[in-house]
Amino acid sequence: MKMDVHAALARWHEVAENGSKPDDLEAIMREDAVFHSPVVHTPQEGRAIVVAYLSAASQTLGNDSFRYVREVVSGDTAVLEFMTEMDGILVNGIDMIAFDEEGLIKDFKVMVRPLKAVNKVWEMMAAQLEAQKA
């Protein structure tokens, strides 16, 4: 049976709209998932670290202004363009999500623009990840 990328994407939207809680993220993530951050040089590998990053991103980017403005789906991959505002800085970015044959997330890449937004994301994500450790 072929994976339905639209159904997998619908599950991502449901988890995101419900606050990207760690347990919900774990349920849609492969054990060997990989996360590509716009501010961390190396890919982050493994479900636990990917869940930590996506949960932190939800706390920093996922404010009341966050919205997806475009979706492009091809094969096993969805590209979602988003807009949000952080401390008065307009952030424009994309989430590129690849799903496996069971519809679980295997690869998640985030790209952000402009540079001022990248710097703000880095600052706020670092603080959120540090708070999660405490």
Side-chain angles (χ1 to χ4, degrees):
M1 178 166 159
K2 189 162 174 20
M3 180 268 302
D4 179 359
V5 71
H6 294 284
L9 185 55
R11 285 195 305 277
W12 162 253
H13 280 300
E14 182 180 333
V15 168
E17 288 165 10
N18 289 323
S20 295
K21 296 176 185 81
D23 289 345
D24 294 342
L25 287 166
E26 285 179 17
I28 63 169
M29 195 77 48
R30 282 175 59 114
E31 182 68 38
D32 61 351
V34 178
F35 179 76
H36 307 269
S37 166
V39 296
V40 177
H41 175 68
T42 58
Q44 304 299 300
E45 299 179 2
R47 181 186 290 146
I49 192 75
V50 175
V51 166
Y53 270 87
L54 290 176
S55 180
S58 173
Q59 299 301 310
T60 56
L61 293 167
N63 59 44
D64 290 342
S65 69
F66 183 93
R67 67 196 182 288
Y68 283 116
V69 296
R70 187 180 327 180
E71 287 186 4
V72 179
V73 177
S74 179
D76 68 351
T77 303
V79 178
L80 312 174
E81 181 182 4
F82 64 83
M83 302 288 290
T84 192
E85 189 176 314
M86 299 169 68
D87 288 347
I89 296 170
L90 187 61
V91 179
N92 176 225
I94 64 167
D95 292 336
M96 187 179 314
I97 309 169
F99 299 95
D100 71 6
E101 54 282 344
E102 278 100 44
L104 297 175
I105 294 172
K106 63 181 179 181
D107 194 86
F108 199 110
K109 182 180 292 183
V110 180
M111 292 185 264
V112 173
R113 62 166 300 278
L115 180 59
K116 188 182 246 188
V118 173
N119 291 334
K120 181 53 69 177
V121 168
W122 176 82
E123 171 191 323
M124 294 181 79
M125 280 287 295
Q128 186 62 39
L129 287 166
E130 193 59 37
Q132 283 181 359
K133 291 180 187 175

